[in-house]
Amino acid sequence: MSKALPWIKFGLSVSLLGAVAYLLDWREAKQLLLETPLMNMVIALGLLLGAYLANGIRLILLQKRIDLEVPTALFWGSYYTGLLMNSVLPSGVGGDVVRVLLLSRRGYPMGVLAASGLVDRYLGLLGLLAIAGLALIFVPVELPMARSHGQLAGVALVLVAVLGLSWLPRLGLYFLSRMGNPGTSGLWEKVKRGAGLFQQIFKHPRQLTIPTLLSLVSHLLYILSYACLGHSLLPDMSLLSYFLAIPGVMLILLLPISLGGLGVREISTVGLLVWLGAGQQEALTLSLLFLAISWISVIPAIVTAIHYGFDLEAIKEHPDAT
C-alpha cells in the first residue's frame, strides 16, 4: 500500500487538473491573460518571494532558540531546495523533510532540525487561523451565510490561535512531564529529547512574538499575491474576499492527498472564489496563473539543489545525527 500511495496521489492530482482543464474555456482564458498587466504578475511573484523570505527568517529565529546555527548560504540553499520539493511532494511538508535530511547529512542534529521545523509549521498554522478568523469577524457581509455564524466561526478561530500560542504547548509539555517513564526504549528517549527542545522554544512565549508576526506577514504576502493576479481577472472581487478564500485553500493544502497540492489547490481556489461570487472562468484562470507563478518562483532552486548535491537516496542512507 505504501508503494501505491504516491501513485494514488499522482492520479488524484492529474484527475483534478484534468477537471480544471475540462471546465476552462481556453479562448476566454487566453483573452483574460492578455488583459492581465505583466506588472501585476511581476508584483505577485515578488510578493510570493517575500512570503518565502519571511518564512525563512522565522525558521532561523526558531533555530537560534535551540542553539542551532547554520551558515547563511547553507541554510538558504537547503531551504530553497525544500521549497522546490514542496512542488512535487505531499502537503508541503515533504520539502521540510528534504531540508532536514540535507542539513543532517552535513552533521547537524536531525532531532533539533525536525523540532524547529515542526514549531515553524505550528506557528504558520496559528497565523493562518488568526487571519482567517479576523476575516470572518470583520467582513461577514462577504459571506453567503448568516452574519452571526461567520462572526462566531471567526471568534473561534482567533481563540484557537491565541490559546495555541500561549497555553496548548505548555499544557502538552506539562502532561508529558507527569507521565511515568515507560522504559528506556529508543523511541521514548527521542520523545524526551524532543519534549526538551519544545520546552526550550516555548519556555518564554513572549520571545516568540517576532516569529509569530513573521507567520502573519508571510500569509499576508501570499494572499496579496493572489489578489494582485486577480486585480484584473476579477475586478469586482474585493480584497477582503481573498482573505476569506485563500486561508481556506491553504488549510485544505495541509491534507497530504496530492503531489505538491496540484489539483487540490486549483479546485479549492475555484470553489471558494465562486462561492464568494466570482465568475467560474475567471477563477479557473486565476488558479492556473498562480500555479504558473509559484512554479516560476522555485525554478532557481534547481541550481541550489545541484550545488548542494541533492541526492535523496544518499540522504536516506545517512545515519541519524541526533
Side-chain angles (χ1 to χ4, degrees):
M1 181 63 182
S2 59
K3 292 183 178 180
L5 194 57
W7 290 105
I8 294 174
K9 294 175 180 178
F10 176 77
L12 178 62
S13 292
V14 171
S15 299
L16 292 176
L17 285 177
V20 171
Y22 175 78
L23 294 171
L24 184 66
D25 183 329
W26 290 92
R27 290 185 179 180
E28 184 176 349
K30 179 181 178 181
Q31 185 60 38
L32 288 170
L33 289 175
L34 290 174
E35 294 173 358
T36 302
L38 178 60
M39 183 55 65
N40 284 29
M41 301 182 191
V42 173
I43 294 175
L45 177 60
L47 291 169
L48 196 54
L49 292 173
Y52 297 158
L53 178 63
N55 280 334
I57 295 174
R58 179 182 69 199
L59 183 56
I60 289 174
L61 294 177
L62 291 174
Q63 289 179 346
K64 288 183 177 180
R65 294 272 294 169
I66 47 181
D67 304 319
L68 178 63
E69 294 281 351
V70 179
T72 301
L74 177 58
F75 171 82
W76 288 107
S78 62
Y79 173 76
Y80 210 28
T81 301
L83 289 177
L84 173 65
M85 299 311 297
N86 277 342
S87 301
V88 295
L89 294 176
S91 72
V93 179
D96 290 346
V97 174
V98 168
R99 176 182 55 79
V100 168
L101 292 174
L102 279 171
L103 292 176
S104 68
R105 186 183 180 187
R106 286 162 172 78
Y108 293 94
M110 185 178 291
V112 176
L113 292 166
S116 61
L118 287 173
V119 175
D120 177 67
R121 285 284 171 175
Y122 182 68
L123 292 181
L125 175 60
L126 295 183
L128 188 58
L129 293 178
I131 289 176
L134 291 173
L136 286 168
I137 291 172
F138 291 107
V139 289
V141 70
E142 298 282 344
L143 285 175
M145 65 165 62
R147 179 185 180 93
S148 59
H149 292 169
Q151 289 180 324
L152 184 61
V155 170
L157 288 176
V158 172
L159 184 61
V160 168
V162 172
L163 291 177
L165 180 63
S166 59
W167 288 105
L168 290 184
R170 286 186 288 178
L171 189 63
L173 291 171
Y174 170 77
F175 283 115
L176 186 62
S177 67
R178 301 290 293 179
M179 290 175 59
N181 192 333
T184 58
S185 65
L187 178 60
W188 178 247
E189 291 300 321
K190 289 183 178 181
V191 169
K192 289 197 297 184
R193 288 202 301 270
L197 292 171
F198 289 127
Q199 186 174 28
Q200 188 173 346
I201 293 175
F202 286 103
K203 185 176 181 180
H204 302 290
R206 289 185 179 180
Q207 295 181 8
L208 293 175
T209 300
I210 294 179
T212 303
L213 289 176
L214 286 171
S215 295
L216 296 174
V217 169
S218 66
H219 292 320
L220 290 174
L221 293 175
Y222 189 88
I223 295 169
L224 289 175
S225 181
Y226 265 101
C228 188
L229 293 175
H231 181 69
S232 59
L233 293 173
L234 298 165
D236 296 329
M237 183 68 64
S238 69
L239 176 62
L240 296 177
S241 296
Y242 293 97
F243 281 89
L244 290 169
I246 305 308
V249 173
M250 297 171 73
L251 287 172
I252 292 172
L253 285 176
L254 295 176
L255 300 174
I257 58 177
S258 65
L259 297 182
L262 291 175
V264 174
R265 174 177 48 243
E266 288 67 45
I267 287 293
S268 58
T269 298
V270 173
L272 288 170
L273 288 177
V274 170
W275 182 58
L276 290 171
Q280 178 177 291
Q281 291 303 316
E282 290 81 357
L284 285 165
T285 304
L286 173 59
S287 69
L288 292 178
L289 181 56
F290 185 83
L291 174 62
I293 293 295
S294 63
W295 278 350
I296 291 172
S297 70
V298 296
I299 285 177
I302 297 175
V303 177
T304 64
I306 295 174
H307 177 74
Y308 288 103
F310 176 73
D311 182 348
L312 188 56
E313 291 304 319
I315 292 172
K316 286 180 179 178
E317 296 172 359
H318 186 71
D320 190 326
T322 56

